[in-house]
Amino acid sequence: MMISSKGRYALRVMIDLAEHAEEGYIPLQTIAARQGISEKYLESILAVLSKAKLLDAVRGKGGGYRLARPAAGYTAFEILSLTEGTLAPVTCLETGQQCENAKNCRTLPLWQGLDRTIADYLGRYTLADLARMEKDPEPYKKGAAHRAAPFIFFNTRCPSRSSSWRACRRSGRYRRDAPA
């Protein structure tokens, strides 16, 4: 999975709008200048976000864009899913796709676990978190999102970090899906 420039720019723009929410509607030209994105490309990104009701848009003098709800009400997963179309690591997990080998696929549980891990990780970060992160990244370097990463073996969750967890880990039956 690779996040496109469209997804990265959408996150940057949404963070920018969250940081400047008190200014009301912000013109496209102002956002483009602050973010270093061409106005034409930014317009296409904002159109997608507006159509999905993530942004309020007003045309004309005094118009522009603003968040449709508080910054804490948006997750990175929501924004990236919208702009990327899918965040699934393999085609067979995309909505509406049916793999002919799904019943006998030995790697399907691996991809399902990765898909859940991606969704869980990106779902933990709100726009408000990302705006704070930009100002003071230190608390997020080894933040709760990394410590809370689950241990998964197919559809089974490993017990918490207790002696039983260590025994499971040593046996090799459980693997960490995200870095510690």
Side-chain angles (χ1 to χ4, degrees):
M1 175 193 73
M2 189 85 136
I3 304 295
S4 69
S5 60
K6 185 177 186 177
R8 292 191 319 269
Y9 289 168
L11 270 177
R12 282 175 38 191
V13 166
M14 294 292 281
I15 292 167
D16 183 90
L17 291 171
E19 289 175 334
H20 299 279
E22 70 283 346
E23 297 174 24
Y25 288 98
I26 301 170
L28 178 121
Q29 296 82 2
T30 305
I31 301 167
R34 280 196 299 239
Q35 294 301 315
I37 304 170
S38 80
E39 289 181 24
K40 188 165 181 73
Y41 193 42
L42 180 58
E43 191 171 18
S44 70
I45 294 169
L46 292 173
V48 170
L49 296 171
S50 294
K51 186 175 182 182
K53 306 277 189 233
L54 298 186
L55 297 178
D56 291 330
V58 172
R59 291 184 173 197
K61 187 175 170 126
Y65 298 88
R66 71 174 186 189
L67 297 179
R69 55 186 190 256
Y74 298 90
T75 65
F77 180 76
E78 176 184 18
I79 296 162
L80 290 173
S81 294
L82 177 66
T83 56
E84 297 298 313
T86 181
L87 296 174
V90 290
T91 308
C92 63
L93 294 179
E94 293 176 3
T95 305
Q97 296 293 324
Q98 187 65 24
C99 179
E100 58 195 45
N101 296 324
K103 196 171 193 173
N104 299 318
C105 182
R106 308 222 21 198
T107 60
L108 183 61
L110 171 78
W111 303 129
Q112 289 171 331
L114 179 59
D115 191 41
R116 279 192 306 273
T117 301
I118 291 168
D120 289 346
Y121 181 80
L122 293 174
R124 287 184 186 127
Y125 288 97
T126 67
L127 272 186
D129 294 333
L130 295 171
R132 280 190 303 269
M133 189 183 303
E134 227 173 59
K135 292 175 184 168
D136 183 20
E138 199 58 38
Y140 297 94
K141 286 185 179 174
K142 290 190 177 176
H146 291 300
R147 286 192 302 274
F151 285 81
I152 297 174
F153 181 71
F154 296 101
N155 293 326
T156 308
R157 291 200 177 266
C158 188
S160 64
R161 290 182 177 242
S162 64
S163 59
S164 60
W165 172 83
R166 286 183 185 87
C168 290
R169 183 78 174 130
R170 278 194 298 271
S171 73
R173 291 178 39 224
Y174 294 90
R175 292 185 294 274
R176 185 178 261 299
D177 285 328

PDB file of all heavy atoms in Angstrom, residues 3-4 14 34 59 66 72 76 92 134 144 157 159 165-166 169 171:
ATOM      1  N   ILE A   3       0.462   5.494  -0.044  1.00  0.00           N
ATOM      2  CA  ILE A   3      -0.447   6.630   0.009  1.00  0.00           C
ATOM      3  C   ILE A   3      -0.019   7.619  -1.072  1.00  0.00           C
ATOM      4  O   ILE A   3       1.141   8.013  -1.134  1.00  0.00           O
ATOM      5  CB  ILE A   3      -0.420   7.311   1.398  1.00  0.00           C
ATOM      6  CG1 ILE A   3      -0.729   6.310   2.508  1.00  0.00           C
ATOM      7  CG2 ILE A   3      -1.354   8.509   1.448  1.00  0.00           C
ATOM      8  CD1 ILE A   3      -2.117   5.734   2.477  1.00  0.00           C
ATOM      9  N   SER A   4      -0.958   8.022  -1.918  1.00  0.00           N
ATOM     10  CA  SER A   4      -0.662   8.933  -3.026  1.00  0.00           C
ATOM     11  C   SER A   4      -0.496  10.370  -2.527  1.00  0.00           C
ATOM     12  O   SER A   4      -0.837  10.697  -1.387  1.00  0.00           O
ATOM     13  CB  SER A   4      -1.796   8.887  -4.056  1.00  0.00           C
ATOM     14  OG  SER A   4      -2.958   9.465  -3.502  1.00  0.00           O
ATOM     15  N   MET A  14      -6.529  19.399   5.491  1.00  0.00           N
ATOM     16  CA  MET A  14      -7.475  19.280   6.606  1.00  0.00           C
ATOM     17  C   MET A  14      -6.826  19.757   7.911  1.00  0.00           C
ATOM     18  O   MET A  14      -7.473  20.414   8.717  1.00  0.00           O
ATOM     19  CB  MET A  14      -7.966  17.836   6.735  1.00  0.00           C
ATOM     20  CG  MET A  14      -8.810  17.354   5.556  1.00  0.00           C
ATOM     21  SD  MET A  14     -10.413  18.158   5.431  1.00  0.00           S
ATOM     22  CE  MET A  14     -11.323  17.269   6.666  1.00  0.00           C
ATOM     23  N   ARG A  34      -0.181  28.483   1.560  1.00  0.00           N
ATOM     24  CA  ARG A  34       0.366  27.973   2.823  1.00  0.00           C
ATOM     25  C   ARG A  34       0.917  26.568   2.682  1.00  0.00           C
ATOM     26  O   ARG A  34       1.919  26.217   3.293  1.00  0.00           O
ATOM     27  CB  ARG A  34      -0.708  27.970   3.910  1.00  0.00           C
ATOM     28  CG  ARG A  34      -0.928  29.313   4.546  1.00  0.00           C
ATOM     29  CD  ARG A  34      -1.685  29.214   5.862  1.00  0.00           C
ATOM     30  NE  ARG A  34      -3.010  28.643   5.766  1.00  0.00           N
ATOM     31  CZ  ARG A  34      -4.130  29.269   6.141  1.00  0.00           C
ATOM     32  NH1 ARG A  34      -4.080  30.488   6.649  1.00  0.00           N
ATOM     33  NH2 ARG A  34      -5.287  28.675   6.037  1.00  0.00           N
ATOM     34  N   ARG A  59     -19.062  29.884  -2.109  1.00  0.00           N
ATOM     35  CA  ARG A  59     -18.499  30.578  -3.272  1.00  0.00           C
ATOM     36  C   ARG A  59     -18.642  32.081  -3.124  1.00  0.00           C
ATOM     37  O   ARG A  59     -19.470  32.565  -2.357  1.00  0.00           O
ATOM     38  CB  ARG A  59     -19.204  30.132  -4.547  1.00  0.00           C
ATOM     39  CG  ARG A  59     -18.896  28.711  -4.908  1.00  0.00           C
ATOM     40  CD  ARG A  59     -19.550  28.361  -6.217  1.00  0.00           C
ATOM     41  NE  ARG A  59     -19.110  27.039  -6.626  1.00  0.00           N
ATOM     42  CZ  ARG A  59     -19.229  26.584  -7.838  1.00  0.00           C
ATOM     43  NH1 ARG A  59     -19.788  27.322  -8.775  1.00  0.00           N
ATOM     44  NH2 ARG A  59     -18.804  25.385  -8.136  1.00  0.00           N
ATOM     45  N   ARG A  66     -14.086  25.457   5.036  1.00  0.00           N
ATOM     46  CA  ARG A  66     -13.873  25.257   6.463  1.00  0.00           C
ATOM     47  C   ARG A  66     -14.322  23.842   6.805  1.00  0.00           C
ATOM     48  O   ARG A  66     -15.073  23.206   6.046  1.00  0.00           O
ATOM     49  CB  ARG A  66     -14.621  26.282   7.302  1.00  0.00           C
ATOM     50  CG  ARG A  66     -16.115  26.097   7.306  1.00  0.00           C
ATOM     51  CD  ARG A  66     -16.809  27.033   8.250  1.00  0.00           C
ATOM     52  NE  ARG A  66     -18.224  26.686   8.301  1.00  0.00           N
ATOM     53  CZ  ARG A  66     -19.142  27.402   8.894  1.00  0.00           C
ATOM     54  NH1 ARG A  66     -18.801  28.533   9.468  1.00  0.00           N
ATOM     55  NH2 ARG A  66     -20.388  27.019   8.905  1.00  0.00           N
ATOM     56  N   ALA A  72     -11.597  17.151  16.093  1.00  0.00           N
ATOM     57  CA  ALA A  72     -11.548  15.867  16.803  1.00  0.00           C
ATOM     58  C   ALA A  72     -12.526  14.852  16.207  1.00  0.00           C
ATOM     59  O   ALA A  72     -12.444  13.657  16.511  1.00  0.00           O
ATOM     60  CB  ALA A  72     -11.852  16.072  18.285  1.00  0.00           C
ATOM     61  N   ALA A  76      -7.646  10.151  10.527  1.00  0.00           N
ATOM     62  CA  ALA A  76      -6.777  10.010   9.356  1.00  0.00           C
ATOM     63  C   ALA A  76      -7.327   8.906   8.447  1.00  0.00           C
ATOM     64  O   ALA A  76      -7.286   9.023   7.221  1.00  0.00           O
ATOM     65  CB  ALA A  76      -5.345   9.698   9.787  1.00  0.00           C
ATOM     66  N   CYS A  92      -7.993  -8.526  -2.986  1.00  0.00           N
ATOM     67  CA  CYS A  92      -9.124  -9.360  -2.555  1.00  0.00           C
ATOM     68  C   CYS A  92      -9.837  -8.817  -1.319  1.00  0.00           C
ATOM     69  O   CYS A  92     -10.939  -9.262  -1.010  1.00  0.00           O
ATOM     70  CB  CYS A  92      -8.685 -10.799  -2.327  1.00  0.00           C
ATOM     71  SG  CYS A  92      -7.471 -11.018  -1.026  1.00  0.00           S
ATOM     72  N   GLU A 134       2.056  18.279  14.847  1.00  0.00           N
ATOM     73  CA  GLU A 134       2.881  19.166  14.047  1.00  0.00           C
ATOM     74  C   GLU A 134       3.570  20.214  14.920  1.00  0.00           C
ATOM     75  O   GLU A 134       4.704  20.565  14.701  1.00  0.00           O
ATOM     76  CB  GLU A 134       2.004  19.866  13.002  1.00  0.00           C
ATOM     77  CG  GLU A 134       2.611  19.823  11.633  1.00  0.00           C
ATOM     78  CD  GLU A 134       1.652  20.355  10.600  1.00  0.00           C
ATOM     79  OE1 GLU A 134       1.225  21.512  10.712  1.00  0.00           O
ATOM     80  OE2 GLU A 134       1.337  19.602   9.671  1.00  0.00           O
ATOM     81  N   ALA A 144       0.865   6.324  22.345  1.00  0.00           N
ATOM     82  CA  ALA A 144      -0.049   5.247  22.709  1.00  0.00           C
ATOM     83  C   ALA A 144      -0.416   4.380  21.522  1.00  0.00           C
ATOM     84  O   ALA A 144      -0.670   3.193  21.681  1.00  0.00           O
ATOM     85  CB  ALA A 144      -1.313   5.834  23.332  1.00  0.00           C
ATOM     86  N   ARG A 157      -6.596 -12.913  19.641  1.00  0.00           N
ATOM     87  CA  ARG A 157      -5.753 -11.867  20.239  1.00  0.00           C
ATOM     88  C   ARG A 157      -4.959 -12.474  21.382  1.00  0.00           C
ATOM     89  O   ARG A 157      -5.466 -13.260  22.162  1.00  0.00           O
ATOM     90  CB  ARG A 157      -6.608 -10.724  20.757  1.00  0.00           C
ATOM     91  CG  ARG A 157      -7.230  -9.957  19.631  1.00  0.00           C
ATOM     92  CD  ARG A 157      -7.657  -8.592  20.116  1.00  0.00           C
ATOM     93  NE  ARG A 157      -8.183  -7.851  18.979  1.00  0.00           N
ATOM     94  CZ  ARG A 157      -7.468  -7.037  18.232  1.00  0.00           C
ATOM     95  NH1 ARG A 157      -6.222  -6.819  18.510  1.00  0.00           N
ATOM     96  NH2 ARG A 157      -8.007  -6.405  17.225  1.00  0.00           N
ATOM     97  N   PRO A 159      -3.068 -12.537  24.965  1.00  0.00           N
ATOM     98  CA  PRO A 159      -3.342 -11.880  26.251  1.00  0.00           C
ATOM     99  C   PRO A 159      -2.440 -10.662  26.442  1.00  0.00           C
ATOM    100  O   PRO A 159      -1.469 -10.488  25.732  1.00  0.00           O
ATOM    101  CB  PRO A 159      -3.011 -12.965  27.281  1.00  0.00           C
ATOM    102  CG  PRO A 159      -2.899 -14.234  26.530  1.00  0.00           C
ATOM    103  CD  PRO A 159      -2.632 -13.899  25.105  1.00  0.00           C
ATOM    104  N   TRP A 165       1.440 -13.881  28.251  1.00  0.00           N
ATOM    105  CA  TRP A 165       1.804 -13.267  26.985  1.00  0.00           C
ATOM    106  C   TRP A 165       3.216 -13.679  26.592  1.00  0.00           C
ATOM    107  O   TRP A 165       3.484 -14.036  25.467  1.00  0.00           O
ATOM    108  CB  TRP A 165       1.718 -11.738  27.086  1.00  0.00           C
ATOM    109  CG  TRP A 165       2.271 -11.071  25.881  1.00  0.00           C
ATOM    110  CD1 TRP A 165       1.622 -10.852  24.708  1.00  0.00           C
ATOM    111  CD2 TRP A 165       3.587 -10.573  25.690  1.00  0.00           C
ATOM    112  NE1 TRP A 165       2.443 -10.238  23.805  1.00  0.00           N
ATOM    113  CE2 TRP A 165       3.674 -10.054  24.389  1.00  0.00           C
ATOM    114  CE3 TRP A 165       4.723 -10.520  26.493  1.00  0.00           C
ATOM    115  CZ2 TRP A 165       4.827  -9.492  23.875  1.00  0.00           C
ATOM    116  CZ3 TRP A 165       5.866  -9.956  25.978  1.00  0.00           C
ATOM    117  CH2 TRP A 165       5.910  -9.457  24.692  1.00  0.00           C
ATOM    118  N   ARG A 166       4.141 -13.636  27.566  1.00  0.00           N
ATOM    119  CA  ARG A 166       5.536 -13.997  27.277  1.00  0.00           C
ATOM    120  C   ARG A 166       5.634 -15.448  26.818  1.00  0.00           C
ATOM    121  O   ARG A 166       6.388 -15.776  25.915  1.00  0.00           O
ATOM    122  CB  ARG A 166       6.402 -13.736  28.501  1.00  0.00           C
ATOM    123  CG  ARG A 166       6.650 -12.271  28.724  1.00  0.00           C
ATOM    124  CD  ARG A 166       7.578 -12.028  29.905  1.00  0.00           C
ATOM    125  NE  ARG A 166       7.696 -10.611  30.172  1.00  0.00           N
ATOM    126  CZ  ARG A 166       6.887  -9.916  30.945  1.00  0.00           C
ATOM    127  NH1 ARG A 166       5.872 -10.518  31.539  1.00  0.00           N
ATOM    128  NH2 ARG A 166       7.054  -8.628  31.121  1.00  0.00           N
ATOM    129  N   ARG A 169       4.446 -15.593  23.292  1.00  0.00           N
ATOM    130  CA  ARG A 169       5.433 -14.967  22.415  1.00  0.00           C
ATOM    131  C   ARG A 169       6.610 -15.910  22.179  1.00  0.00           C
ATOM    132  O   ARG A 169       7.061 -16.075  21.054  1.00  0.00           O
ATOM    133  CB  ARG A 169       5.894 -13.646  23.048  1.00  0.00           C
ATOM    134  CG  ARG A 169       6.844 -12.880  22.221  1.00  0.00           C
ATOM    135  CD  ARG A 169       6.112 -12.154  21.120  1.00  0.00           C
ATOM    136  NE  ARG A 169       7.059 -11.306  20.443  1.00  0.00           N
ATOM    137  CZ  ARG A 169       7.214 -11.266  19.135  1.00  0.00           C
ATOM    138  NH1 ARG A 169       6.446 -11.990  18.361  1.00  0.00           N
ATOM    139  NH2 ARG A 169       8.095 -10.491  18.598  1.00  0.00           N
ATOM    140  N   SER A 171       6.665 -19.098  22.324  1.00  0.00           N
ATOM    141  CA  SER A 171       6.251 -20.275  21.564  1.00  0.00           C
ATOM    142  C   SER A 171       6.187 -19.991  20.062  1.00  0.00           C
ATOM    143  O   SER A 171       6.150 -20.907  19.260  1.00  0.00           O
ATOM    144  CB  SER A 171       4.883 -20.765  22.045  1.00  0.00           C
ATOM    145  OG  SER A 171       3.859 -19.886  21.602  1.00  0.00           O
TER     146      SER A 171
END
